[in-house]
Amino acid sequence: MQKFVPSMIQNFGVRGFLLVFLFALLTPKSAGAPQNSAQPRALNLMPVPANVQPGSGSLRVDSTFSVALTGHTEPRLDGAVERFLHQLARQTGLLVNSKASNSAQATLVVHTDHASKEIQDVDEDESYILEVASSGAKLTARTPLGTLHGLQTFLQLVEVSSDGFSAPAVTIQDKPRFPWRGLMIDSARHFIPLDVIRRNLDGMEALKLNVFHWHLTDNQGFRVESKKFPKLQGMGSNGLYYTQKEVRDAIAYARDRGIRVVPELEMPGHSTAVFVGYPEIAATPGPFKIDEEWGVMDPAIDPTKEQTYKFLDELIGEMAKLFPDHYFHIGGDEVNGKAWDSNPKIQEFKKAHGYKSNEELQAYFSQRVQKLVTKHGKAAIGWDEIFVPGAPKDIVIQSWRGPDSLAAAAKQGYRGILSNGYYIDLMWSAARHYVVDPLGGAAADLTPEQKQLVLGGETTMWTEYVSGENIDSRIWPRTAAIAERFWSPPSVTDVPSMYARLDIISRRLAWVGLTHRSQYYKMLQRIAGDATPEEVAALTTFASVLEPVKDYTRGDSTSWKAITTTPLNHIVDAVPPESDAARRFGELVDKFISTSCLDDDAAQRLRAQFTAWRDNDARLRPLAQRSFLVQEAAQKSQDLSALGAMGLAVLDYIPKRQPAPDSWKAAQLAMIEQLKKPQAQLLLVPVAAVQKLVEAASTVGTCATAKP
Amino acid sequence: MQKFVPSMIQNFGVRGFLLVFLFALLTPKSAGAPQNSAQPRALNLMPVPANVQPGSGSLRVDSTFSVALTGHTEPRLDGAVERFLHQLARQTGLLVNSKASNSAQATLVVHTDHASKEIQDVDEDESYILEVASSGAKLTARTPLGTLHGLQTFLQLVEVSSDGFSAPAVTIQDKPRFPWRGLMIDSARHFIPLDVIRRNLDGMEALKLNVFHWHLTDNQGFRVESKKFPKLQGMGSNGLYYTQKEVRDAIAYARDRGIRVVPELEMPGHSTAVFVGYPEIAATPGPFKIDEEWGVMDPAIDPTKEQTYKFLDELIGEMAKLFPDHYFHIGGDEVNGKAWDSNPKIQEFKKAHGYKSNEELQAYFSQRVQKLVTKHGKAAIGWDEIFVPGAPKDIVIQSWRGPDSLAAAAKQGYRGILSNGYYIDLMWSAARHYVVDPLGGAAADLTPEQKQLVLGGETTMWTEYVSGENIDSRIWPRTAAIAERFWSPPSVTDVPSMYARLDIISRRLAWVGLTHRSQYYKMLQRIAGDATPEEVAALTTFASVLEPVKDYTRGDSTSWKAITTTPLNHIVDAVPPESDAARRFGELVDKFISTSCLDDDAAQRLRAQFTAWRDNDARLRPLAQRSFLVQEAAQKSQDLSALGAMGLAVLDYIPKRQPAPDSWKAAQLAMIEQLKKPQAQLLLVPVAAVQKLVEAASTVGTCATAKP
C-alpha cells in the first residue's frame, strides 16, 4: 500500500495560512464591485486547491502564449499541451498556436520529474505546484498526472480582464485529498454513445476526477463486445454496444487525461441480458429477454453450477485483458433471492453446504468470483454485498449503503469508496451532495490508519431516465461540486462559495464540449414546436423554476416503468436537476426576510418576479393547447400563476407589519400544500420559499413587527 | 441542354389554386389562436413547395414510425432513410428505429423511379410528390434527388400536437424553380474545419440547396492538397488545408445529400498563396508571403509566360480528377492590374498582341485557362470577369456585379448564376436578401428562352471576419430565406410569412447540428467571463439589440485589416447579423403607430421594453469595468439606456395628442444621429424604430391627433 506516502506537498504548509486565505478565496465576489488589483482576487477554482498563495499582478495571456515542456517527456504530455492550448484558444477566442514551444522563454514552462506507472494506479503522485507571476508561469509535477491537473488549474485561472485575458499571479501547491475520485456511467439502461463518453471524460479531466467506472452490463443490456461469448452483446443488447476497439480507444482517451477506467460486469443479479444468450448459467429456466422495465429483477446467476464459474472464468479473463486497470468491478448488488428459492437444486446445494440464507449463498459466489478476479491478476471491487467473510484483503467496497458500512469494513482492514450520497440520478441539489463526506458518519470516528482505507468516492449516473441526449445535464455541473469534495481539503465546505464558483465552472464546461446547458434549450424548443417567440419565452420562464421529482419517485409511476421504450422528451427530461432560478429566488427571499422584510430593493425584485409568474400561465396556455408535452404540465403552470398571485398578496400584506390572521395563513398554507404536489414528474420549486414568506408575514419578530 | 425538359410537376397545376392556398399557407399563425383541425393549418415549410393541397386529419408520428423503399434502390437511399429516421428521432425525441422497413405497410412508403446521374449534374430531375394522409404517407420521385428533397419536406411537416407528434394530411407536388441553388464557403481567409463543412452540408440539405461552391484558394491561403505541387499547401497555408482524402470524403458526404461540389481555384488575382511556393508564375518578383490583411492585392499571375499555362494545365488536371463535378471555378475577379503594369515584359507582350488594356490581357488569360478546363473535360465557371469575347458557350458566369450583367450574358446565349444580393458577409437582413431575384433587374426583361439561361444563384460566405466558430451564425438562418428564393415559385414573396417560418426553421436547424444559436450564448459567456448571472443577463439584453456594421465597414477600420491574426472573439463576432429582438421591436412600433398610438397593450409593452433598456447600462457597467470585450462597446450600452429614456419620454408625450414642439423634435433627432454611430463595429439597431416614434409623436395625423 504505497498510496499514502508523503507527497511533496506535505512540507509546504502553514495550515493557518491556508485557512485564512481560503476565507478570502471562497467569499464570492460582491456583484459589481470593481476589482482592485492590490487586493487578493477571488479565484474561480474548482476544486479548491490544497494551498493557494496570492501574488501581485497578473500574467497576460494573448496570442503569443506558449508552453514548453522540460524534464520527463512522453507523447501524452505533448498531447496534453496541444489540448491545453486548444482549450485555451476555445475559452478565450485567441489565436493561440497549438504546438508546444522548445523555448525556456515560453509563457508557461512545464516541468515533469518522471513517468507515472504504465498502468495508472490508485497510489500515484498527483501533486503539482503552479507558480504564476507577471513575467511567466511555471508548473512543476512529479508525474504527468500532476502535470495534467496543473494544466487544468491554469485554464481555470485564465480570465477576461480590463485589458485582455490574464491569469492572476499566484502560487498553488496542490494535491488531492482522496486518491479515488470517480464517476460511474451506466451504459446499460440507456446506451451512451462514445462521443458522449468522451466529452464526459473531458469534463472529468477539467474537474480532476481520475476514475471512470463503466457500468457495462445490466438487466437492460450487455454493452461490451465479447469475442468469446458473442451472444452476450449479440442477443443481450438492442445492437448498441461498444466494440473492443472502441473500448480500447476510450481507455487510451481516458489515460491521456489521467483517468483510470474500471469496468463493471454485474453479477449474480442484474444479469438478465447475459441470460438472453446464455440461459444455461441462470438459476431459473429461460427463455429470457432483455428487460424493458426498471427495478430489482428476479433472475440471477446459478451459483451452484461449475459451468457458471467456467463461463465467468473465461469472460473475466477476456475482459481483464481488455481493461488494463488493476481493479475489476463485479457488481454484486440487489439480489432478491427469488430465483434461488424457486430452484430445488439450489436449495439442495444450500442444504449440503450448510448455508442458512441466500446471503450466505451469495457470499460463496462472491468468494469464488473474487478468486477468478485474482487469478486474472486483478483486484475485485464491488458493491457492499461483496464484503463477505474471507474476502481477499485487496478488494475495494463501493458503498451504496453509506459511510457506516465503509467504517465497518475499514475496521476489518478493508478499503472502500463512498457512493451513497453521490447518487446523482436522485436529482438532489449540488449542496445536498456537497455536504456528504467520504469520512462522514461512522467513518469520522475511524483511526487515522483506518481512515486511509477510505480511498474516496464515486458519483453514480444510473440511466433509467437518462439518455445520451440529456446525460450531460444530469452529470454536470453537480458532479463538479462532488469532485471538489473528493479533492479539496475537508475545510472547504462553504456552500455559497461553491455555488458562485459552480456557476462559472458550469459555463466553462460548455467550452470543454459538454452540452449540459445548450441541450436544455434545444429540448425546450422541441417541446415548444411551432411556438411563437412569446410562447417560447413563457415556456422558458415556466421551465426555469421546475425540477424533476426527487429520489425514485418517477420509477414508482406505472407510466414510467418501461424505461427503455419510453421517449425521454418531456419537460422533466429537459429541465436540470437543480433550478438555478429557483435557488436564486430562495436566496432573495431569505435575504428579504433577514431584513425583517424592510429591504425595498429586494421587495421590488420579488414583486417583479411574482408579477411575471402570475402572468405567465396566460401566455403559455395557447401553447399548452397545441403541445401535449406542455399540456401534461399545465396544472403546474397554473400553479406558478397561483404562486405569483400569492406572493403578491403577501407583499401587499407585509407593510401592515401585523401578524396575518390565522385564517389567512391557514388558507395560504393549504394552498401551498396543493402547489407542492408533483405533476408530470415535475416539482414547482419556489413554493417552499413562498411558504417562508407567508410564515414570516404571520410571525411576530420577523416581518410582522412595526418598523423600528 | 437537357435541364429544362418538362418534369412531372408540369401537369399538376391549377395555378389559381396554388395562389389561393399559398395565401392561407403564408399567413403566420395568429399567436395563441387554438388550431381548428377543420381549417387548413399554416405549414411551416421552407422553402415553400411549388404546390400544396391540404388534406384533412393528420398522420400520427410515434415510435412505431417506419419507412419502406420501393422502386429503384441504391445505398445512398438506404443511407438517406437512416439519416431521415435519425433526424426524426432527434427532432421529436422519439425512439424511432433507424432502419428502413421492408413492409409495404410502413408509415412512409418511398418510391424512386430510377437512378440519377453518376455525377450529379445541373439538369437533374429534382421533383417529388409527397402525399400524407391519416393512414400513411407516400413519397414518389423520379430520382433519388427528388426523394432526398421529399424526405426533408416530410421532416418539416412533423410537429408537436395536442396528442403527440404528427404530420398534417397534405399533398405536395414540388420541384425547384432554379436548378443551381448554391452556397459558397470561403475556406481561404479563415480555414473552416471539415466538421463545420459537414454540418453546413446538412443544413444545405435541409433547405434543398444543391451546390456547395468551395472557395479553396485566395491570397490568405491555399487550402487543398496538391500532390503535384505540394508547396501550394505546404508554403501557401499555415498548415491548415484539406487533404485529398478529406476532399473526397466531403464530396461523397455532399453527394449523399444531393449536393454538387464545385471547387474554385482563384486566378489570376487573389493568388498570393500560390506565389509563396511558386513565385515563378507571378507577374512580379518574389519572395511572397501569405497575406494577413484583407483587400484587393496587387500580385497576379503572369499571363504571358508559357510556364504559367503548363503549371495551370497540370494543376487543373489534378484538381479536375479530384473533383468529379462537371463545373470548375476559375475565379477571375478583382485584378487591379498593378502587377502587370510594373512588369516591362508584360507591357511588351501587350504591345506585341495589340492589347490596349489589362482587361484585354485578362481576357487572353481567361481564354487560355478556359481551354485548359475544357481539355480536362470540364466547363468553366467564374466571376463576371471571365465573360470575355470568344468564351466557350458552356461557361457559367457567376455574377457579383448584378442581374444586368447576367442579362447581358444571357442575351448572348451564356448561362449565369446570381450572387450579387446574396453576399451574406455584408451582414444584411434576411428580408433584404429575400427580395433579390435572380430574374430581377434587367433579367426580368429577358425572353423566356433567355431566362432559362439564368440557372439560379449562390450565397457567398466570405470569411474575412468569420471563423469556424461563428460561421454557422453568419450562414444561418438567413441562407434559408435565400434558399426559398432559389426554390419556390416567384410569387412567394411575403416577408412576414418568411420571418415567421424562418424562426421555426432556425430552431429546427439546431437539431441538424448547426450551432448558429448555441454558439452565440457560448461566445457571450466568454465575453462575460466571471460575470454574475445578473451581469450575464444585462449583457444578453444589450447584445440582443446589436448588429455588426453592414457592408465592408469593418474592413475599413485599420485595427481590423489583419484578418488572419486578429481574434474573432468580440461582441461583433458573437451577435447574429440580424437582431430578432430589434426586428420584433420594430414590428411592435409599426403596429403601435398604425393604431395612431392608441393601442394600450402595445404602449405597455413598449414601456416595459424602454424601461428595461434604460436600466440596463447600470447593470452592465460593473462588467464593462472588468471585461475589455464589454468595455469597448460601453458607449453603445450607454446609448441603449439613452434610447430607453428617449422612448419613455415619447410615450409620456403621446397622450397629449399634440404635435411635439420643433425644438423637442430637433433635440431628439440630433440625439438619434449620435446613437446611430457605430462603436466596436456594432450598431444599435432599434434606433431607427424609435426615430419613427419620435416622428409620429410630432406629426399631425399619426400620433399627434386627439383621440377620435
Side-chain angles (χ1 to χ4, degrees):
Chain A
M1 294 266 291
Q2 289 296 308
K3 70 188 152 306
F4 303 110
V5 297
S7 97
M8 62 179 172
I9 212 106
Q10 200 181 43
N11 302 318
F12 297 160
V14 182
R15 198 69 163 183
F17 163 78
L18 171 64
L19 291 176
V20 168
F21 182 71
L22 277 179
F23 181 77
L25 177 76
L26 296 173
T27 305
K29 182 183 315 170
S30 59
Q35 296 300 318
N36 181 332
S37 60
Q39 295 180 332
R41 285 286 309 274
L43 300 181
N44 294 304
L45 298 178
M46 184 170 266
V48 168
N51 192 320
V52 177
Q53 190 166 355
S56 67
S58 62
L59 174 65
R60 188 173 173 78
V61 175
D62 60 22
S63 297
T64 68
F65 192 91
S66 59
V67 179
L69 288 167
T70 67
H72 167 73
T73 57
E74 60 177 77
R76 176 164 62 159
L77 287 170
D78 296 327
V81 168
E82 196 167 323
R83 286 189 294 112
F84 166 87
L85 289 167
H86 186 64
Q87 183 61 23
L88 185 63
R90 289 212 281 183
Q91 79 179 44
T92 60
L94 292 171
L95 303 161
V96 179
N97 188 336
S98 69
K99 292 268 178 282
S101 156
N102 294 320
S103 165
Q105 302 308 310
T107 325
L108 171 62
V109 176
V110 178
H111 182 86
T112 311
D113 282 356
H114 54 73
S116 59
K117 294 189 180 176
E118 200 174 334
I119 293 164
Q120 189 174 329
D121 205 354
V122 78
D123 63 354
E124 305 251 8
D125 189 315
E126 299 183 88
S127 66
Y128 69 91
I129 301 175
L130 176 61
E131 297 161 280
V132 181
S134 55
S135 56
K138 185 167 189 194
L139 170 62
T140 316
R142 288 260 173 87
T143 76
L145 301 176
T147 306
L148 289 168
H149 295 318
L151 289 172
Q152 293 301 318
T153 301
F154 190 93
L155 285 172
Q156 291 190 1
L157 285 173
V158 176
E159 59 193 4
V160 68
S161 69
S162 57
D163 63 346
F165 289 93
S166 62
V170 69
T171 298
I172 293 173
Q173 299 164 323
D174 202 9
K175 65 165 188 175
R177 180 180 170 211
F178 293 107
W180 190 304
R181 306 178 305 280
L183 165 65
M184 188 213 80
I185 290 181
D186 170 8
S187 288
R189 270 58 175 249
H190 280 93
F191 180 75
I192 307 300
L194 271 173
D195 62 324
V196 181
I197 297 289
R198 277 194 293 270
R199 70 184 182 227
N200 277 283
L201 289 167
D202 291 336
M204 290 177 67
E205 181 187 28
L207 272 303
K208 301 185 172 63
L209 292 169
N210 67 353
V211 180
F212 170 45
H213 167 177
W214 210 346
H215 187 82
L216 287 161
T217 72
D218 217 301
N219 297 320
Q220 296 81 1
F222 195 97
R223 304 295 190 183
V224 55
E225 178 191 27
S226 168
K227 293 185 189 289
K228 294 205 169 176
F229 302 103
K231 286 186 286 184
L232 283 172
Q233 71 278 7
M235 297 177 69
S237 82
N238 55 351
L240 298 173
Y241 62 87
Y242 309 108
T243 66
Q244 295 205 353
K245 178 181 183 315
E246 287 171 335
V247 166
R248 277 190 290 271
D249 288 349
I251 292 169
Y253 193 92
R255 179 176 165 80
D256 279 348
R257 286 150 183 80
I259 299 168
R260 298 163 42 213
V261 178
V262 176
E264 176 178 357
L265 300 188
E266 264 277 22
M267 60 188 88
H270 287 284
S271 309
T272 310
V274 171
F275 306 147
V276 181
Y278 301 92
E280 56 271 24
I281 66 162
T284 42
F288 294 88
K289 65 182 194 61
I290 302 167
D291 279 318
E292 290 186 352
E293 301 200 343
W294 88 299
V296 177
M297 306 300 179
D298 299 342
I301 283 178
D302 185 338
T304 69
K305 284 186 185 168
E306 283 309 306
Q307 185 184 5
T308 295
Y309 299 105
K310 187 167 176 304
F311 178 91
L312 291 175
D313 186 13
E314 286 192 53
L315 178 60
I316 292 172
E318 182 185 16
M319 293 297 148
K321 282 200 189 71
L322 180 60
F323 291 90
D325 199 78
H326 182 59
Y327 293 86
F328 193 93
H329 204 297
I330 55 171
D333 60 320
E334 298 186 325
V335 181
N336 69 13
K338 288 185 189 170
W340 295 343
D341 292 343
S342 71
N343 183 326
K345 285 193 179 165
I346 294 177
Q347 294 304 312
E348 280 171 33
F349 184 91
K350 280 171 68 178
K351 203 173 292 177
H353 286 72
Y355 296 145
K356 305 242 166 3
S357 67
N358 283 331
E359 285 69 30
E360 287 181 21
L361 180 59
Q362 186 174 350
Y364 163 78
F365 174 79
S366 278
Q367 284 163 356
R368 293 213 45 184
V369 171
Q370 287 172 25
K371 276 184 196 143
L372 293 176
V373 171
T374 305
K375 173 187 165 189
H376 292 290
K378 309 277 173 167
I381 170 169
W383 304 98
D384 292 279
E385 288 89 335
I386 72 151
F387 176 42
V388 294
K393 282 286 177 180
D394 67 350
I395 66 165
V396 174
I397 295 143
Q398 178 165 19
S399 183
W400 62 271
R401 290 184 175 153
D404 294 0
S405 170
L406 279 190
K411 283 179 184 163
Q412 296 184 44
Y414 285 89
R415 294 177 301 167
I417 59 172
L418 185 65
S419 277
N420 179 293
Y422 306 129
Y423 270 51
I424 48 179
D425 60 325
L426 297 179
M427 302 287 182
W428 296 1
S429 69
R432 189 167 171 190
H433 292 300
Y434 191 63
V435 299
V436 177
D437 196 296
L439 291 176
D445 300 326
L446 294 174
T447 67
E449 291 71 25
Q450 289 167 346
K451 281 184 179 173
Q452 291 197 336
L453 296 170
V454 178
L455 302 179
E458 278 186 7
T459 68
T460 53
M461 179 75 278
W462 303 106
T463 57
E464 277 86 353
Y465 301 108
V466 178
S467 69
E469 184 175 75
N470 69 352
I471 193 170
D472 290 9
S473 73
R474 275 56 195 135
I475 297 177
W476 309 102
R478 295 179 303 153
T479 293
I482 301 172
E484 177 156 286
R485 178 62 49 242
F486 297 158
W487 178 282
S488 300
S491 57
V492 176
T493 55
D494 186 79
V495 169
S497 161
M498 179 275 285
Y499 273 121
R501 289 174 295 115
L502 191 66
D503 188 59
I504 290 163
I505 293 297
S506 180
R507 287 184 232 158
R508 289 190 170 209
L509 284 173
W511 288 107
V512 173
L514 289 163
T515 63
H516 57 303
R517 295 164 76 94
S518 59
Q519 198 64 19
Y520 167 58
Y521 293 102
K522 280 174 73 174
M523 291 177 77
L524 278 194
Q525 298 282 5
R526 181 162 71 195
I527 290 161
D530 63 355
T532 64
E534 291 72 23
E535 289 167 344
V536 172
L539 178 62
T540 306
T541 296
F542 176 44
S544 75
V545 290
L546 298 174
E547 286 179 8
V549 289
K550 307 299 159 186
D551 306 324
Y552 292 128
T553 310
R554 186 171 182 181
D556 294 339
S557 159
T558 39
S559 59
W560 285 104
K561 289 283 182 216
I563 55 172
T564 66
T565 54
T566 309
L568 298 177
N569 58 0
H570 296 255
I571 294 178
V572 65
D573 301 306
V575 295
E578 183 171 15
S579 157
D580 283 344
R583 180 171 54 74
R584 292 197 189 107
F585 171 76
E587 290 166 1
L588 182 60
V589 167
D590 287 347
K591 182 184 167 205
F592 182 59
I593 294 175
S594 75
T595 66
S596 303
C597 303
L598 295 171
D599 181 335
D600 284 343
D601 176 61
Q604 201 177 331
R605 288 168 63 194
L606 286 174
R607 182 171 295 278
Q609 182 67 84
F610 288 137
T611 306
W613 288 348
R614 183 197 60 193
D615 299 342
N616 200 65
D617 184 55
R619 296 162 65 214
L620 185 60
R621 205 171 301 151
L623 181 61
Q625 289 169 351
R626 301 202 305 282
S627 167
F628 72 107
L629 295 168
V630 177
Q631 179 56 45
E632 67 177 5
Q635 180 60 51
K636 284 290 111 187
S637 175
Q638 291 171 35
D639 287 355
L640 179 62
S641 284
L643 190 71
M646 184 188 296
L648 290 171
V650 180
L651 287 185
D652 287 344
Y653 198 88
I654 283 170
K656 299 181 184 165
R657 316 301 306 178
Q658 299 284 334
D662 286 348
S663 59
W664 180 86
K665 183 181 171 185
Q668 307 306 313
L669 294 181
M671 166 75 94
I672 277 172
E673 286 314 302
Q674 289 299 313
L675 303 183
K676 282 183 178 172
K677 290 185 182 162
Q679 187 198 19
Q681 310 300 326
L682 290 164
L683 295 171
L684 188 60
V685 191
V687 173
V690 175
Q691 181 173 0
K692 279 191 197 173
L693 258 191
V694 167
E695 284 167 353
S698 316
T699 309
V700 174
T702 55
C703 301
T705 311
K707 289 196 192 193
Chain B
M1 294 266 295
Q2 289 297 309
K3 70 188 150 306
F4 302 109
V5 296
S7 98
M8 61 180 173
I9 211 104
Q10 201 180 42
N11 303 319
F12 296 160
V14 182
R15 198 70 165 182
F17 165 78
L18 171 66
L19 290 176
V20 168
F21 182 71
L22 276 178
F23 181 76
L25 177 78
L26 296 173
T27 304
K29 184 183 313 169
S30 60
Q35 294 300 320
N36 181 331
S37 60
Q39 295 180 332
R41 286 285 309 273
L43 301 180
N44 293 304
L45 298 177
M46 184 170 266
V48 168
N51 192 321
V52 177
Q53 189 165 357
S56 68
S58 62
L59 174 65
R60 188 172 174 78
V61 175
D62 60 23
S63 297
T64 68
F65 192 93
S66 58
V67 180
L69 287 169
T70 66
H72 168 72
T73 59
E74 60 177 76
R76 175 163 65 160
L77 286 170
D78 296 328
V81 169
E82 195 167 323
R83 287 189 292 110
F84 166 86
L85 289 167
H86 187 64
Q87 184 61 21
L88 185 63
R90 290 212 282 183
Q91 80 179 44
T92 59
L94 293 171
L95 302 161
V96 179
N97 189 337
S98 69
K99 291 269 179 283
S101 157
N102 293 320
S103 164
Q105 302 308 308
T107 324
L108 172 63
V109 176
V110 178
H111 181 87
T112 310
D113 283 354
H114 54 74
S116 60
K117 295 190 182 175
E118 198 171 339
I119 294 164
Q120 188 176 328
D121 204 354
V122 78
D123 62 356
E124 305 252 7
D125 189 315
E126 299 183 88
S127 66
Y128 68 92
I129 301 176
L130 176 61
E131 297 161 279
V132 180
S134 55
S135 55
K138 184 164 190 199
L139 170 62
T140 315
R142 289 258 172 90
T143 76
L145 302 176
T147 306
L148 290 168
H149 295 318
L151 289 172
Q152 292 302 318
T153 300
F154 190 91
L155 285 172
Q156 290 190 1
L157 286 174
V158 176
E159 58 192 4
V160 68
S161 70
S162 58
D163 63 347
F165 289 94
S166 62
V170 69
T171 298
I172 292 173
Q173 298 164 322
D174 202 9
K175 66 166 187 174
R177 180 179 171 213
F178 292 107
W180 189 304
R181 306 178 304 280
L183 165 65
M184 188 213 79
I185 291 181
D186 169 9
S187 286
R189 270 56 176 248
H190 281 91
F191 181 75
I192 307 300
L194 271 173
D195 62 325
V196 181
I197 297 290
R198 279 192 294 268
R199 70 184 183 229
N200 278 284
L201 288 167
D202 291 337
M204 289 177 68
E205 181 188 25
L207 272 303
K208 301 184 172 63
L209 292 169
N210 68 352
V211 180
F212 170 44
H213 167 178
W214 209 346
H215 187 82
L216 287 161
T217 72
D218 216 301
N219 297 320
Q220 296 82 0
F222 195 97
R223 304 295 191 184
V224 56
E225 178 191 27
S226 168
K227 293 183 189 289
K228 294 207 168 175
F229 302 102
K231 286 187 286 182
L232 282 172
Q233 72 276 9
M235 298 177 68
S237 83
N238 56 351
L240 298 173
Y241 62 87
Y242 310 107
T243 66
Q244 294 204 352
K245 178 179 184 316
E246 287 171 335
V247 166
R248 276 189 291 268
D249 289 350
I251 291 168
Y253 193 92
R255 178 175 166 80
D256 279 348
R257 286 150 183 80
I259 298 168
R260 299 163 41 212
V261 178
V262 176
E264 176 178 358
L265 300 188
E266 264 278 22
M267 61 188 88
H270 287 283
S271 310
T272 309
V274 170
F275 306 147
V276 182
Y278 301 92
E280 57 270 25
I281 66 162
T284 42
F288 294 88
K289 65 183 193 59
I290 301 167
D291 279 318
E292 292 185 350
E293 301 199 343
W294 88 299
V296 176
M297 307 302 181
D298 298 343
I301 284 177
D302 186 338
T304 69
K305 284 185 183 171
E306 282 310 305
Q307 185 183 5
T308 294
Y309 300 103
K310 186 166 177 305
F311 178 92
L312 291 176
D313 186 12
E314 286 193 50
L315 179 61
I316 291 172
E318 183 184 15
M319 293 298 147
K321 282 201 187 69
L322 179 60
F323 291 89
D325 199 79
H326 182 58
Y327 293 85
F328 193 93
H329 203 298
I330 54 171
D333 61 318
E334 298 186 326
V335 181
N336 69 13
K338 288 185 188 171
W340 296 342
D341 292 341
S342 72
N343 183 327
K345 284 193 180 167
I346 293 176
Q347 294 306 311
E348 281 172 31
F349 183 91
K350 280 172 67 177
K351 201 173 293 175
H353 286 69
Y355 296 147
K356 306 237 165 9
S357 68
N358 284 329
E359 285 69 30
E360 287 182 21
L361 180 59
Q362 185 173 350
Y364 163 77
F365 174 79
S366 278
Q367 285 163 352
R368 294 216 41 186
V369 172
Q370 288 171 22
K371 277 185 196 143
L372 293 177
V373 171
T374 305
K375 171 186 165 188
H376 292 291
K378 308 277 174 169
I381 170 172
W383 304 99
D384 293 278
E385 288 89 335
I386 72 153
F387 177 43
V388 294
K393 282 285 175 181
D394 67 349
I395 66 166
V396 174
I397 296 144
Q398 178 164 21
S399 182
W400 62 271
R401 289 183 177 154
D404 293 0
S405 169
L406 280 189
K411 284 180 184 162
Q412 297 185 41
Y414 284 89
R415 294 177 303 167
I417 59 173
L418 186 65
S419 278
N420 179 295
Y422 306 128
Y423 269 51
I424 49 179
D425 61 324
L426 297 179
M427 302 288 181
W428 295 0
S429 69
R432 189 166 170 191
H433 291 301
Y434 191 64
V435 299
V436 177
D437 197 296
L439 291 175
D445 301 326
L446 293 174
T447 67
E449 292 69 27
Q450 289 167 345
K451 280 183 180 175
Q452 291 197 337
L453 296 171
V454 177
L455 302 179
E458 279 186 9
T459 69
T460 52
M461 180 75 278
W462 302 106
T463 58
E464 277 86 352
Y465 301 108
V466 177
S467 70
E469 184 176 74
N470 68 353
I471 193 169
D472 290 9
S473 73
R474 273 59 194 135
I475 297 177
W476 308 103
R478 295 179 302 153
T479 292
I482 301 171
E484 178 157 286
R485 177 62 48 241
F486 295 159
W487 178 282
S488 300
S491 56
V492 177
T493 54
D494 186 79
V495 169
S497 162
M498 180 274 286
Y499 274 121
R501 290 175 293 116
L502 191 66
D503 189 57
I504 290 164
I505 294 297
S506 180
R507 289 184 230 156
R508 291 192 168 205
L509 285 174
W511 288 107
V512 172
L514 289 164
T515 64
H516 57 303
R517 295 165 77 94
S518 58
Q519 196 64 19
Y520 168 58
Y521 292 102
K522 282 175 73 175
M523 292 178 78
L524 278 194
Q525 298 284 6
R526 181 163 72 195
I527 290 162
D530 64 356
T532 63
E534 291 72 24
E535 289 167 345
V536 172
L539 178 61
T540 306
T541 297
F542 176 44
S544 74
V545 290
L546 298 174
E547 286 178 9
V549 289
K550 307 299 158 186
D551 304 323
Y552 293 128
T553 311
R554 187 171 180 180
D556 294 340
S557 159
T558 40
S559 59
W560 285 104
K561 288 281 182 219
I563 55 171
T564 67
T565 54
T566 308
L568 298 177
N569 58 1
H570 297 255
I571 294 177
V572 65
D573 302 306
V575 296
E578 182 170 15
S579 157
D580 283 344
R583 181 171 52 77
R584 292 196 189 106
F585 171 78
E587 289 166 3
L588 181 61
V589 166
D590 287 346
K591 181 184 167 207
F592 182 60
I593 294 175
S594 75
T595 66
S596 303
C597 303
L598 294 172
D599 180 336
D600 282 344
D601 176 62
Q604 202 177 329
R605 289 168 64 194
L606 286 174
R607 184 172 294 278
Q609 182 67 83
F610 288 137
T611 306
W613 287 349
R614 182 196 60 193
D615 299 343
N616 200 65
D617 184 55
R619 297 161 65 214
L620 185 61
R621 207 172 300 150
L623 180 61
Q625 288 168 353
R626 301 203 305 283
S627 167
F628 72 105
L629 294 168
V630 178
Q631 179 58 46
E632 67 177 8
Q635 180 61 51
K636 283 292 111 187
S637 174
Q638 292 172 36
D639 286 355
L640 179 62
S641 285
L643 191 69
M646 184 188 297
L648 289 171
V650 180
L651 288 185
D652 287 343
Y653 197 90
I654 283 171
K656 298 183 185 166
R657 318 299 308 177
Q658 298 287 331
D662 286 350
S663 60
W664 180 87
K665 182 180 172 187
Q668 307 306 315
L669 294 180
M671 165 77 93
I672 276 170
E673 286 313 302
Q674 289 299 312
L675 303 184
K676 282 183 178 172
K677 290 184 181 165
Q679 187 198 19
Q681 309 300 326
L682 290 163
L683 294 171
L684 188 60
V685 190
V687 173
V690 175
Q691 180 173 359
K692 281 192 196 172
L693 259 191
V694 167
E695 283 167 355
S698 315
T699 308
V700 175
T702 56
C703 301
T705 311
K707 288 195 192 192

